[in-house]
Structures are given as structure tokens and as C-alpha cells.
Amino acid sequence: MQVSVIVLAAGQGTRMNSDLPKVLHQMAAAPLLHHALTTARNLDPARIVTVTGHGGEAVAAAATAFDETVETVLQDPQLGTAHAVAQAAPFLAHAEGEAIVLYADTPLIREETLRAMLAARGQHAVVVLGFHARDPGRYGRLITEGSNLLAIREFKDASLDERAITLCNSGVICAEAKTLFSLIADVKAANAVQEYYLTDIVELARARGLSAGVVLCDEAETLGVNTRAQLAEAEAAFQSRARAEALDNGVTLTAPDTVFFALDTHVGRDAVIGPNVIFGPGVTIESGAEIKGFCHLEGCHISRGATVGPFARLRPGAELAEDVHVGNFVEIKNAILEEGVKVGHLTYIGDADIGEFTNIGAGTVTCNYDGVMKHRTRIGKRAFIGSDTMLVAPVTVGDGALTASGSVITEDVPPNAVAIGRARQVTKPGLAARMFDKLKAIKASKAKGQ
Ligand code: UD1
Ligand code: CA
């Protein structure tokens, strides 16, 4: 079945009290817009059209950054939800198959729910996603008769009896694309606020002898973000869903409530995630890897059998091959660690390639930045980097080479060589004792003088 998705993202979001367009606020390390686009993309749609308005350029850029095939159209001025959908007509009015309207500020709608709506299209020409609201507030009310939806009444236009209805409109709508745009063309702004309401298409459809119906979802799924408090609420809901999914997928979370996932985090089966682990965007963890407590990971890939942490930070471009060990207080950025590399303690590895089974001693630093440019450090296989080695990049250490502890390595080290780059040790017998005696005498004479 061919599907197209229209994502409405023009709203200002006044109540966010922000310079940033509402749909660009982050949830699970991704803009709200990306959540709606992810759900849309999971349907494998023929086209996705994002309708932008406030902050249009930035919102359009975020849409194409998500996927360059996403199309964007500017709605200016914003005259209501039907007017917003109408902006997508040049792309979709003649499209084959179904059209689904999503809101970019409603990030928790599940793919399964949209599939249920598509299935319900077998019974009804227009399918609306509804929910039973604990507090129906200002939501549009669904007026039903049996399995038929008769109308959606906006709160502002509803009678007291209609306001007593608790079955509400989520805003998500599904219809054949051609039907949707033909109905929208008939919507008039004849209501309390002179807006073109998408919700009017239900009565317009019925006037044409077409039926409308409701698919129900849990209220939690339709949580809309209008305030920072709701953003925090949506974040919490996302996290509890992501934790439950990870556990279902065979991931061990020792303290699930303390692990924070990003929208695009992938964790393989039998991986173990300790407490207080934070995932930024772009992390993939393969089966059987272990992330110990208090790690912060973003833009990295961790292969099977690797162990990371506790207290490690992996930044974008960190690539850990199988059985790599990264220990405590280690930071890794834009670096490839081949199989079996060990970086146990207190180390910074940035802009580097490290060959298999090389051991990096405690306190090693790749000095990758000269104040203007970044440079690369290349270390071969089975090398041994002594503790407290400063590798001043660009620099290469060959296979099987060794650097002495405390060395500042500024020149390339050939394979199998030992490089020592530090001052020679000078030892003065008895000097410490003589020094301390002298200092104690000075202290005593000062005390007498007072
Ligand atoms: C809308 C529905 C209401 C439903 C509620 C669910 C209509 C007329 N009403 O009301 O029945 O219960 O959502 O949250 O559809 N938008 C645009 N361009 C516009 C206007 C809106 O892109 O010109 C976008 C907004 O950014 C937002 C969404 O459409 O993402 C909904 O708009 P909003 O003004 O919040 O509609 P509600 O009044 O909440
Ligand atoms: Ca709203």
C-alpha cells in the first residue's frame, strides 16, 4: 500500500517561551520534528512533506538533515490546520494511495497505531485517531454514533453537551490522498476564530456520503508538547518506552531508570548497560558489549565483546572494534581502535588510528591540536605506549614499538623501536634528608621570633 505523510510543523509554540521554533526543541537528543519524521519513515512512505512556518528555514534544514528526500513547504501566514495540509497539495493532491497527517509537536505516536489507522481505512473513508482524555480540556471532541464518527467539534465552537464528551481528537488523520485534498479544498473558515480547520473534513466527507471512523490510542501517545513542562513529560515517556524496548530486546539494564537513550540509539542483544549511562545521538552498540556505569556516549560504534567504563566518554567518530577495552576516565574522539586495543585509565585519544592489540598506558594524551589545526596520531599493531606518553601529532608509532613512560613523542617511531623522550634522571644521595633538616630549622627559628 502506498502511503504519503504530511508533518505539520508551522506552529510558533509561544508557550515554550523560546527563540527556538518549538519543533526543534530536543527530546532524546533529537529535535521533536525528527521523532515525527522517524515514525513517518517507519511506514516506508512514498513521500514525506513537512509544512514549516515559524522558523521556517531552520525547520526545513532540520527536516532535510534528517533525510534529504523529505520535502518541505512554507505555510505563511498560518491560517489553521486545514490550510497547513493544503500547502502539501502541490506535492500530493494527485498522489496514489493513502495520506496521513502528523503533528511535529506530538512525538510519541507509535508506528503500530498508524498501521491500525491504515487498516481501518478498509471500513471508513476518513480515519481519525482519538483517545479518551482524563481531562479533555480544549481538545476537539469526537461526536460518534456507533462505529461512525459524525463530526469533530473544536472546543471553542462546542456546546456544553458536546464539551462533556471525553473522546478527543489527537489531530492525526488518515484518508486516501486524493480524497483528503479534495475535502480540504471545501473547508471554509466559518468558525469562532476564522481558521481553516482540518477537523471540518469529517462533516464534509459525510455530506458526500463517505463514512468516517475512529481508531483509539492511549492518551500517553498523543501527548502534545506546548510547554517546557510537557517537553520534560514527553522525554520521560520516551525514556520509559525506550528502556522497556531495550529490556524486551534482550539488553540487560542494571538500573533502567538511570539510563537515557537517544532517538536513534541501537543496542544489540545481550549487551549490558550499567547505571547512569547517557546516550547522545548516533550510538550503535553490538551484541555482548558492556557499558559500565556513568559513561557518556555519542556518535560512536562499539563492537562485540568490547567493554567501556566506568566513567568513560566516547565522542563522535569513536570506533571500537571487537574486544577493545576502554577503562575509567578515558575520552575518545574521532579515533579507530582496532581489535583488542586496551586503553585502561586517564587517557585522551583524539584523531587517531590504533592498531590491533596495542596497549595504551595510563595518562597518555594524543596532542592533536596545535591551536589552529587538528592532526592525526597513527599507532601500529601490538605497540606499547608507556604511561604518561604525550604523542604530539602528526606522529606515527610503528608496529611493535614502545614508548617509555613520561615521553613526549614528537618524531615518528619506527616499528619495533623504543623511543624515550624525557630528561635523564639525576639522583643525589642524602639530599632529601639534608633539605628537610634545613627547612625544619628555619620553621623553628621563625616560631621563636614571634
Ligand atoms: C488541533 C485540533 C483539535 C485537536 C488538537 C490535538 C484542529 C482545528 N484542531 O487543535 O481538534 O484536539 O489539535 O492537539 O485541527 N499547525 C500548522 N499550521 C497552522 C496551524 C497549526 O502547522 O496554521 C500545526 C501546529 O504547529 C500544531 C498542529 O498543527 O503542530 C495543531 O495546531 P494547534 O494550533 O496546536 O491546534 P489545536 O488548537 O491544538
Ligand atoms: Ca495543540
Side-chain angles (χ1 to χ4, degrees):
M1 185 199 302
Q2 186 159 315
V3 182
S4 297
V5 184
I6 303 153
V7 178
L8 303 191
Q12 181 167 20
T14 316
R15 289 192 288 150
M16 294 299 281
N17 189 14
S18 173
D19 289 337
L20 193 67
K22 174 162 78 174
V23 300
L24 297 187
H25 280 264
Q26 300 255 319
M27 168 173 136
L32 288 172
L33 174 65
H34 287 192
H35 289 260
L37 291 174
T38 298
T39 313
R41 194 165 63 183
N42 286 343
L43 297 174
D44 198 14
R47 294 176 99 163
I48 302 176
V49 179
T50 300
V51 180
T52 69
H54 289 277
E57 265 176 46
V59 174
T64 39
F66 175 81
D67 185 331
E68 59 188 15
T69 66
V70 173
E71 289 156 305
T72 63
V73 60
L74 181 69
Q75 182 200 18
D76 183 25
Q78 283 96 45
L79 302 178
T81 44
H83 180 254
V85 174
Q87 308 308 306
F91 301 89
L92 298 176
H94 304 290
E96 291 303 318
E98 304 298 312
I100 293 180
V101 177
L102 295 179
Y103 293 174
D105 63 0
T106 308
L108 295 166
I109 305 277
R110 292 178 316 132
E111 177 191 338
E112 292 81 349
T113 301
L114 300 182
R115 293 201 184 275
M117 292 179 75
L118 288 167
R121 274 274 301 105
Q123 292 89 60
H124 299 285
V126 175
V127 176
V128 170
L129 182 63
F131 62 100
H132 287 286
R134 258 169 296 130
D135 169 16
R138 304 186 63 82
Y139 285 116
R141 304 299 205 267
L142 301 185
I143 301 171
T144 53
E145 190 182 79
S147 68
N148 286 310
L149 174 61
L150 305 183
I152 307 176
R153 193 75 73 233
E154 285 309 289
F155 177 80
K156 299 159 198 155
D157 305 311
S159 67
L160 281 178
D161 280 352
E162 288 168 341
R163 287 181 181 187
I165 296 170
T166 58
L167 179 59
C168 292
N169 175 28
S170 71
V172 180
I173 280 184
C174 176
E176 193 181 25
K178 286 172 188 153
T179 310
L180 176 68
F181 286 99
S182 136
L183 290 168
I184 279 185
D186 287 351
V187 172
K188 305 271 182 310
N191 49 56
V193 288
Q194 299 287 296
E195 270 185 25
Y196 295 89
Y197 286 170
L198 178 59
T199 47
D200 284 354
I201 68 167
V202 170
E203 281 168 289
L204 292 169
R206 289 183 58 81
R208 292 188 194 179
L210 299 172
S211 79
V214 182
V215 163
L216 285 177
C217 73
D218 200 78
E219 183 170 8
E221 232 179 286
T222 70
L223 175 64
V225 174
N226 300 299
T227 62
R228 307 256 183 179
Q230 286 169 335
L231 181 63
E233 211 182 310
E235 174 82 48
F238 176 92
Q239 294 303 339
S240 48
R241 195 189 274 179
R243 290 162 191 152
E245 273 172 20
L247 294 167
D248 276 352
N249 292 342
V251 176
T252 295
L253 303 177
T254 35
D257 289 349
T258 67
V259 175
F260 291 83
F261 291 98
L263 173 61
D264 62 356
T265 306
H266 288 286
V267 184
R269 198 157 159 261
D270 287 324
V272 177
I273 314 286
N276 296 291
V277 172
I278 314 255
F279 292 95
V283 177
T284 313
I285 297 188
E286 286 184 22
S287 296
E290 181 176 2
I291 312 298
K292 295 183 180 166
F294 297 93
C295 289
H296 192 284
L297 316 178
E298 62 184 308
C300 60
H301 172 233
I302 298 166
S303 304
R304 275 167 193 275
T307 58
V308 175
F311 299 100
R313 178 164 186 218
L314 302 191
R315 293 172 49 209
E319 170 79 37
L320 276 51
E322 291 189 15
D323 302 326
V324 164
H325 169 63
V326 169
N328 44 222
F329 309 108
V330 170
E331 175 180 343
I332 299 186
K333 180 214 79 169
N334 188 28
I336 297 169
L337 279 58
E338 302 285 3
E339 186 184 346
V341 165
K342 288 190 165 56
V343 191
H345 340 260
L346 299 160
T347 288
Y348 173 61
I349 301 291
D351 303 310
D353 301 293
I354 303 182
E356 58 188 44
F357 302 108
T358 282
N359 194 315
I360 307 284
T364 296
V365 173
T366 53
C367 310
N368 59 329
Y369 185 48
D370 59 17
V372 181
M373 284 179 293
K374 300 275 170 69
H375 302 281
R376 220 162 166 88
T377 299
R378 293 189 173 82
I379 303 175
K381 302 173 194 172
R382 295 173 202 275
F384 184 91
I385 305 299
S387 294
D388 192 33
T389 298
M390 300 291 118
L391 296 150
V392 182
V395 72
T396 298
V397 177
D399 292 350
L402 179 152
T403 65
S405 330
S407 289
V408 178
I409 302 295
T410 53
E411 289 165 20
D412 289 354
V413 182
N416 303 314
V418 169
I420 309 174
R422 65 185 185 213
R424 225 170 232 295
Q425 182 169 327
V426 179
T427 308
K428 309 214 167 181
L431 180 59
R434 292 200 300 278
M435 240 169 58
F436 290 134
D437 286 348
K438 203 164 161 184
L439 291 170
K440 280 178 195 157
I442 292 170
K443 192 176 179 187
S445 76
K446 274 193 178 164
K448 225 188 246 169
Q450 275 171 359

